[in-house]
Amino acid sequence: MQIRLTVLGHDGAEDTDVQVAAPADTPLAAVLGSLASAAAPGSPAPGAVFCEETRLDPRLAVLGRPPLTDGAVLSFHRPAEGTGREPAGARLLVVAGPDAGGVHLLRGGPARLGRSARADVPLDDPDVSRLHCAIELTADGSVTVTDLGSTNGTLLDGAPVTGGPHPVRPGALLRLGESVLRVESEAAPAPPPPGDRDRSGRRGLAGWALGLRGASAPGAPAAPEAGPSGSREAASRWPDPAAVLLTALESGPRLWERDAGHPDAFALRLGTAQQAPELLPPVTLALPAAGSLGVAGPRGRAVGVARSLLAQLAALHPPAALEIVAVAPGRAEEWSWLGWLPHVRPSRGQDCGLLLAFDAAQAAARVGELQARVAAGPPGDGRRTVVLVDGDPGEAATRAALARLAAEGPAAGVHLLVPAETPPATAASPLEETLVSARAASPVFAGCATAAVLSGPVATALRLVGPGGAASPTAGADAVSAAWAGRFARALAPLGQDPAAGGAPAPGGGPLPESCRLLDALGLARVTPGALRERWSGQSGLPLVLGAGQDGPAALDLAAAPGPLAVDGGPRSGRTELLASLTASLAAAQGPRDLSLLLVEGAGEGLRPAAELPHVASYLPATDPVRMRAFAQALREELRRRAALLGEADGGAEPFGAARLRVARVVAPREPGDARPEAPPMRAQGSGPLPWLVVLVDDFEALLAPPLSAPGRQAAGSVVRALDAVAREGHPLGVRLITAGGAPAAAIRIALTGHPAGRAELRHATGRATHFQAGRVTARIPRTSTLRPTVARLDWSRAGDPPARRPVRELGNGPTDIALLASAATRAAETDRTATATFV
Ligand SMILES: Nc1ncnc2c1ncn2[C@@H]1O[C@H](COP(=O)(O)OP(=O)(O)OP(=O)(O)O)[C@@H](O)[C@H]1O
């Protein structure tokens, strides 16, 4: 298990990002000393640890479990600042402007807003006075605003605020300088749910871009929002930066709401129209129609706008619909916040830790990947890639390739977002001239079909120039700060995407590891009889953990599988190891009273270590024709008995998972102290529910076409026919078949690629594929290498490098994991009371 944490600097020291690798279930206490010395070398383990404002007990807080998930911020000695999630009487949201996105809690007493660092709510807006106005939550829960003698004045719903405190109704808009704030109190009306919105009209001043997809002609600005209800509708459809932050912090219903087919997929809000003081008509743009987007203006503001756009995209689109890449050599400090987003994890086989490029070599690698992607044409799944390009990419070839990508990428779903440094467009430097100078300065910017040009004396306004050259009216630009972006991205860090859950966020994530210990993937780092008994008692179905996937453990439910599972792969690709792991995974899921396993080997004896599991009712190497025939006969007999038992119980209509509880078992679990599972092939009848039966066959091809020298050659046919019968008839009888090598038909296939050993793809009957690294169970891995947690400082500038390839050390003299599991399972079975009280 790996998570990334941030330790806040103490006494003015810098914050430290670290990567922690530890076995599952490791308590924070085990790494506290290392965390402290990673943050400040030589410092001892702290006396108190806080995760945001909550004090943690390091013995009880477990790494990888909330709140200690990817992106968590720890502070030693004193609590960190709140997140805006805590309950408060009222909240002040900065919904538009050059320093948008802030969520401030009002807890009683006046809060002063202004440009000064001394302000309670500081706003980086040049048109805001140092101390501009004060907002107060009074004892009766109402909110008031008082102007503090500001230069440009304060507007409340369009009316100037003068004199003493003015009452502020929930939902009212306050305008100071270019910034717009909304007060939300408990009485505030909730924005309408997304489903209620009117999708018919594409509104917003930059409707020309959206109009390209159907509503109005390119270049024709659409009508601004009509009234307060229209404004709320727009707020819901085009979330402002504060709403974007809250969506991430609260994992709100809008999180990742837009898949590639959503009507508003890849649409962006850039700011709000300026001419309606009491409303906020959004200025929007549809990326598919706009192509690549350049943002020209003074650097700080242009980067703030780019941050806001990337955050919006990441909040509304799941990684399955959107990939984000950053090419910003030398600018790791500015853009490393993107590294927390699940969207920058390589998911198409890119050879890097994250899709970031902070030096020329990484930039060349990312651009090469993007070129290959564009050459392959638009992806069938509609997934798009947004590439931030900031600064000089280094080599001339990379620069030229990026300029081509800016122009040609959008047709293949690759859009560049390119901030370019220019003075703002003003009366002295009109829009056209500003554009010309930006294009001359950056060939990549010049390749962008659409440009957002920051304008006005302090560059807080914006005009969009579309593919046809038409410019939108002036709007107030939304920009967010670096601190805001970091907080936003960390909130998304623990989320991956679990394809099985239909796109719902799931914890974990990252590229596939080089190797995976199955017991870690199972969450059984310390396998004890007690832990096994607990699992066995809580389980239904046959969950099969395969190994490590991109977003946590890869798994499937064998009980629900529509037919046999086949494992394919070349020589030495790890087929035998995978079968042993599947055996172990099943044994960890259900106790021997509920699950019997039959192991068959077409050649060799690679599965012998797995035969030690108490679930294994029979282990059959293809060496003795007499035993093989007896096995085949017993297996057919078992199918007949099951058919008779289940048929008597309910006529065969009930699903096996329910029916099995009504009928007595046929294959009894192995008794403690019982002899090896070689003979007899099937065990005597016992009591308890009818167990699931899983037949696992390795080297199946050697049974199908046995070599002349094979000792079991004459009996191989009878075993194959019995296995055929299992494939045909076993499903409703609770019998499942897993084969490695040569099975002609199967409902689910696992293909081992062999690079590295154990690398595999799970292919469902539906065509869906999941990549994973198969779990290992038979290696003798030195205990310490899996049990000692490590803490390393994160170097974001190297995140775009190919991952270090360290050979898996198999020095071992320790026991194998399959032996540990078999021993714990045998002891757990001896004392297992969970299944003895069921029906007979
Ligand atoms: N999941 C895995 N992770 C890491 N290494 C593995 C994994 N599975 C197998 N290996 C390595 O690959 C080697 C071959 O594995 P295994 O014997 O399971 O492959 P196979 O496909 O059954 O080979 P054969 O061609 O002999 O049938 C093993 O010795 C092991 O070192």
Side-chain angles (χ1 to χ4, degrees):
M1 189 248 353
Q2 298 203 335
I3 53 167
R4 299 165 301 173
L5 303 171
T6 298
V7 181
L8 290 185
H10 189 48
D11 282 342
E14 295 224 322
D15 302 344
T16 312
D17 296 332
V18 293
Q19 171 114 20
V20 182
D25 302 329
T26 303
L28 174 62
V31 295
L32 207 48
S34 321
L35 280 175
S37 55
S43 59
V49 190
F50 295 85
C51 186
E52 287 161 3
E53 57 287 332
T54 314
R55 183 162 183 172
L56 301 181
D57 180 340
R59 287 161 307 165
L60 298 183
V62 172
L63 294 170
R65 293 215 205 119
L68 291 180
T69 49
D70 207 33
V73 178
L74 298 182
S75 70
F76 297 154
H77 314 293
R78 64 184 145 64
E81 185 194 319
T83 57
R85 275 175 283 196
E86 320 74 42
R91 293 196 292 200
L92 190 59
L93 311 185
V94 188
V95 295
D99 191 10
V103 177
H104 305 273
L105 306 181
L106 297 176
R107 289 211 166 91
R112 290 166 311 168
L113 281 65
R115 196 162 36 82
S116 159
R118 284 189 298 126
D120 304 301
V121 176
L123 280 175
D124 178 19
D125 179 341
D127 290 333
V128 164
S129 296
R130 299 176 64 75
L131 289 178
H132 195 108
C133 65
I135 300 226
E136 181 160 7
L137 174 67
T138 60
D140 66 0
S142 61
V143 178
T144 63
V145 59
T146 312
D147 188 84
L148 299 176
S150 65
T151 311
N152 294 325
T154 305
L155 296 180
L156 173 59
D157 282 336
V161 174
T162 49
H166 281 238
V168 181
R169 66 171 177 90
L173 291 182
L174 277 172
R175 211 174 257 273
L176 24 158
E178 292 295 329
S179 300
V180 183
L181 296 91
R182 192 173 58 233
V183 175
E184 250 188 15
S185 68
E186 270 159 18
D196 287 358
R197 342 178 254 220
D198 169 17
R199 292 194 193 284
S200 58
R202 300 237 176 249
R203 289 189 276 193
L205 286 188
W208 54 265
L210 289 168
L212 293 181
R213 297 197 304 176
S216 53
E225 301 296 337
S229 68
S231 173
R232 268 215 305 282
E233 175 202 310
S236 158
R237 187 168 164 202
W238 310 109
D240 61 68
V244 166
L245 178 64
L246 290 173
T247 294
L249 289 176
E250 294 168 353
S251 284
R254 310 209 53 182
L255 183 67
W256 295 354
E257 70 173 8
R258 300 182 186 177
D259 57 19
H262 190 281
D264 289 331
F266 313 108
L268 291 165
R269 162 185 156 135
L270 287 117
T272 47
Q274 284 187 318
Q275 60 273 66
E278 72 289 7
L279 298 172
L280 280 179
V283 172
T284 59
L285 160 142
L287 213 44
S292 291
L293 176 68
V295 183
R299 187 166 162 72
R301 298 249 179 263
V303 165
V305 169
R307 282 190 208 108
S308 166
L309 297 177
L310 289 165
Q312 264 181 71
L313 285 166
L316 297 174
H317 301 83
L322 171 74
E323 174 183 70
I324 295 179
V325 179
V327 178
R331 295 188 167 156
E333 209 161 300
E334 244 169 320
W335 293 107
S336 61
W337 66 272
L338 289 171
W340 299 104
L341 295 176
H343 307 74
V344 301
R345 294 176 196 148
S347 56
R348 301 179 207 256
Q350 297 101 325
D351 194 23
C352 57
L354 297 173
L355 298 172
L356 305 176
F358 294 130
D359 66 22
Q362 293 172 358
R366 289 303 78 77
V367 169
E369 292 154 7
L370 290 165
Q371 284 177 306
R373 158 101 217 263
V374 170
D381 57 5
R383 190 176 186 221
R384 288 182 188 260
T385 302
V386 173
V387 188
L388 170 89
V389 181
D390 187 21
D392 183 8
E395 291 156 23
T398 314
R399 208 174 306 130
L402 275 171
R404 274 197 308 279
L405 276 174
E408 294 160 15
V414 175
H415 301 263
L416 271 52
L417 173 62
V418 189
E421 187 157 15
T422 59
T426 55
S429 166
L431 186 69
E432 240 342 285
E433 275 176 36
T434 312
L435 263 180
V436 168
S437 74
R439 287 181 180 142
S442 160
V444 189
F445 182 95
C448 295
T450 305
V453 183
L454 290 166
S455 59
V458 283
T460 49
L462 166 150
R463 294 185 73 189
L464 273 172
V465 183
S472 75
T474 306
D478 285 343
V480 294
S481 67
W484 182 96
R487 193 169 167 203
F488 165 82
R490 273 163 205 289
L492 294 192
L495 307 181
Q497 208 187 7
D498 179 7
L512 290 179
E514 288 289 293
S515 78
C516 159
R517 185 181 174 224
L518 181 77
L519 292 184
D520 286 343
L522 283 167
L524 274 175
R526 290 185 194 92
V527 52
T528 60
L532 281 176
R533 275 197 301 275
E534 199 181 314
R535 281 173 170 254
W536 293 349
S537 66
Q539 207 56 260
S540 64
L542 292 174
L544 201 51
V545 173
L546 308 169
Q550 255 147 359
D551 302 304
L556 64 92
D557 184 3
L558 193 63
L565 189 164
V567 176
D568 306 308
R572 314 294 293 159
S573 58
R575 292 172 302 176
T576 303
E577 181 72 21
L578 181 57
L579 275 204
S581 291
L582 297 181
T583 313
S585 184
L586 288 166
Q590 293 276 10
R593 287 174 188 278
D594 295 298
L595 169 69
S596 292
L597 301 172
L598 305 179
L599 304 184
V600 180
E601 305 244 38
E605 300 204 352
L607 293 181
R608 187 173 277 280
E612 299 298 324
L613 290 163
H615 305 66
V616 177
S618 189
Y619 169 70
L620 182 80
T623 47
D624 175 350
V626 177
R627 273 206 69 226
M628 288 166 73
R629 285 203 191 91
F631 174 90
Q633 198 184 343
L635 190 53
R636 286 170 165 281
E637 181 57 24
E638 172 73 9
L639 291 174
R640 276 194 289 276
R641 291 160 92 176
R642 282 179 174 247
L645 277 167
L646 291 161
E648 274 163 27
D650 74 331
E654 200 177 6
F656 179 77
R660 60 179 291 265
L661 301 176
R662 284 187 230 295
V663 283
R665 67 170 45 249
V666 179
V667 180
R670 202 181 324 161
E671 291 302 320
D674 199 351
R676 302 187 60 79
E678 267 92 17
M682 299 286 163
R683 268 144 216 289
Q685 185 158 347
S687 62
L690 185 57
W692 292 93
L693 180 64
V694 182
V695 189
L696 296 106
V697 188
D698 193 15
D699 293 313
F700 186 54
E701 70 273 36
L703 288 174
L704 285 172
L708 285 174
S709 57
R713 185 176 154 76
Q714 324 140 26
S718 64
V719 176
V720 170
R721 284 190 294 279
L723 295 174
D724 270 351
V726 168
R728 276 194 320 274
E729 303 158 22
H731 203 268
L733 308 177
V735 188
R736 297 289 180 272
L737 180 63
I738 301 180
T739 57
I748 306 174
R749 301 197 89 92
I750 295 177
L752 285 153
T753 65
H755 307 290
R759 187 57 56 94
E761 188 182 275
L762 168 65
R763 294 181 192 144
H764 302 264
T766 56
R768 194 161 60 80
T770 311
H771 294 269
F772 67 97
Q773 175 66 27
R776 294 213 74 177
V777 285
T778 67
R780 292 182 192 278
I781 299 172
R783 308 272 78 213
T784 48
S785 74
T786 57
L787 292 184
R788 192 178 346 107
T790 57
V791 175
R793 279 180 91 110
L794 257 178
D795 182 357
W796 291 106
S797 66
R798 306 267 43 103
D801 286 345
R805 307 235 180 276
R806 261 182 288 115
V808 183
R809 290 195 299 147
E810 290 179 25
L811 304 173
N813 47 9
T816 61
D817 281 342
I818 190 83
L820 288 177
L821 181 69
S823 137
T826 305
R827 278 184 288 146
E830 281 168 15
T831 50
D832 182 20
R833 312 232 176 285
T834 55
T836 53
T838 44
F839 316 92
V840 175

